[in-house]
Amino acid sequence: MNKTIFFALFFIQIFINAQFSERNLSSEKWQFKNSKENSWLIATVPGTVHLDLMNNKLIANPYKDENEKKVQWVENEDWDYQTVFKVSAKELQNQNADLVFHGLDTFSEIYLNGKLLKKTHNMFRTWEIPVKNDLKEGNNTLQIKFKSSVNEGKELAKKVPFTMPESPRSFVRKAQYQFGWDWGPRLVTAGIWKDVKLNFWNFAIIKNIKNTQAIFQNKAKINFEIEIDAQVSGIYYLKINNLSTMVSLKKGNNKIEFPYEIENPKLWQPNGWGNANLYDFEIELAKNQEYIQTKNLKIGLRTIELIQNKDEKGKSFYFKVNGHPMYAKGTNWIPSDSFTPRITKEKYQKLIKDCKDTNMNMIRVWGGGIYEDDEFYKACDENGILVWQDFMFAGSFYPSDEDFLNNVKEEVKDQVNRLQNHPSIALWCGNNEIDEAIVNWGYQKQFKYSKEDSLQVWKDYKKVFHEVIPNALKENLTSEKNIYWPTSPSIGWGHKESLTEGDSHYWGVWWGEFPFEIYNEKVPRFASEYGFQGMPSLEAVKSMFSANPELNLENSTIKAHEKNARGFHIINEYMKRDYLVPNDFIKYNYVSQLLQARGMQIAIEAHRRAKPYNMGTLYWQLNDCWPVISWSSIDYLGNWKALHYQVKRSFEQQVILTEEMNGFLNFYAVNDELKKFEDIKVEIQVVDFNGKILNDLTTVQNGKTLDEIAKIDHIEIKNLIKYYNKNEVFLKLVLKDKNKNIIAENTHFFSKPKDLKLTKPNIKIKKISPTEIEISTDVMAKDVYLMGETHFDDNFFDLLPTTSKKIKLSKPLKNVDAITLWDTMN
């Protein structure tokens, strides 16, 4: 044999043997059973026990009818999972073999070939176990025995000398919403909810990669900190893209710094400011001139700061991105399914694209759900959506014994190491509403706490959220990426300081049953939660049933899919204030969506008019985890409710807004882009519902520039509409720049919807193509609702008299029906 060919083949063999290899054991054949039983059933991994029971036709779909009540027994049982997988003699020649569980829900015992390897107690941690000496050639049996989280939580609760609210979930490190919420079912799952991997490796392995950035005008300096576990000491080679260096590794843990520079860097910009530019990096580790392992990383170059400066009204709260103050526009995210393993990459991508398309730049991952899949953060990176990341604690008290604190510390370490390189991560928040729960929710009185009990609750709280979590962040993050906020909200909505500093969850609307107009008075520095319920699409309502339903509000299935005990009562009370309440279910569904959109429009516009006092508005909530009547703007099936269409309009980069006050109408031009508009003016027309222009005027601003916000001269309402009836006219507003280019448009109505003197519109729908229609009207068509199982690129809109509008459809429909507000009033 030719000597050159011989050595080439030799090095190829070394390369193959030395390479890191990963086997996904999730794809093996899995079985499960109730631990009390003997017969095994087919299981799917990743998955949950509920899904496996459904697939084996042992339980009905909990999302249908009232089946949720019938499956509550599942949470009290123990469940076993197992698979048999082959290992070859060649694989056993590797120096190291690790079993890696990316998600076990929650209390489990892991056995390999009958040997107990590990006990787990946290759904959010990664469990990595060396198994080189426990594997054998041929068949290997892997078994995971899950204990009931409810029963385990009850046992843990016994160790605390007083009653904890929301027990046993407070003691269990798993998704809190699984225990039931006022928008979600109680489905306390168990199972292997993320992938199981078997990794073989030699010499050394890359354990973690961090990056820090210093960005200058024409250059970005990136420092990669690479953590390497070396089983064999010696000389290794690191390569990042086109740069390589020699490193000496000692046996054990090594931290290597690798500087990298980018000329003329393109910044990652939030949505609305430019492109979310990302850079690809390939990190390769080699020894003896052969590559051992390759890791790929995609990062964005950007700076972010949380600015809190004292001022005459309190203290600011806003994010400065790439050196510029950013007005945060967005929403709150909950898990998009109660059974998280079936959330597809496509669903993540669609929901985040739906945020981008509605002009959002921030999303808050709420603390009662899960640390989301990598695909979620990837989608946020790609779409320029910043992430306010809660840690997974919500609305309760939590213990602080040594085991719990160590568990939390390791959870934080696992999650921040996984997520920290995403440019979308803006802030780490300790919890959702726990400070608020301790101070304002009356649990101490309800459970008859002693003074010592109450003091212990505060000690526990401070230990977890002011010591353990922030200290773990310091240990695992660089200072530039460690923006920590202990709790959201920082001050409860019943306290005046909640409006002058920090972030606010204002729930005077809904829980307090105050009118929507209270939003004009209760404007915080940063609104991180507020909301109102609305019905989902008719398609989503029908999906609640296993058979053709009779749709009415008294239907027990529909009632079972309203998880707020007073939900229908509150919706009805608000509806009476602003709308005529329809008896017909379809019309009721439609008006409830209009009501929700109207309330949130009032809130968002109040927040944006207050810029820069207010610098963020994140409504509750984006999505649903099952078919339900809730605060979401997108229902479980992915359909946009009226709210989501309104959010798109209310979150436009430039808007012209109105405010009625003391008989005057104030006008505000708001701009969220970095560019300025010179010599702005607003054109105002008073128009009746038949399209007749009753008054026409232009307000000139004498060279006023629109930078962030400009208040335009106010006008006395009686001089504007003269002797015409308020409920028969509206304002058409057009904001223009010095070149007469339209910057923004809007309308203003002087009466509540129920008081408008509308006439029947003659709606005409013309088909332009299979996926485009044109809709026209002769008179004002208020809140046009296009119906059909497709996505309309606009819906629930006002069509002004004698105008038309082109609408695109996501898929063709034979017929498109439409109703308007007039149809609910006659």
Side-chain angles (χ1 to χ4, degrees), residues 51 126 160 198 285 290 458 467 651 657 792 794 803:
L51 293 176
T126 299
V160 176
L198 178 59
L285 178 65
E290 302 297 342
W458 268 115
E467 294 181 35
F651 279 172
L657 304 176
F792 300 96
D794 199 4
T803 64

Side-chain angles (χ1 to χ4, degrees), residues 610-626:
K611 184 181 180 179
Y613 177 85
N614 172 279
M615 284 296 287
T617 180
L618 311 178
Y619 68 89
W620 182 268
Q621 67 207 63
L622 176 71
N623 55 325
D624 286 327
C625 65
W626 74 318

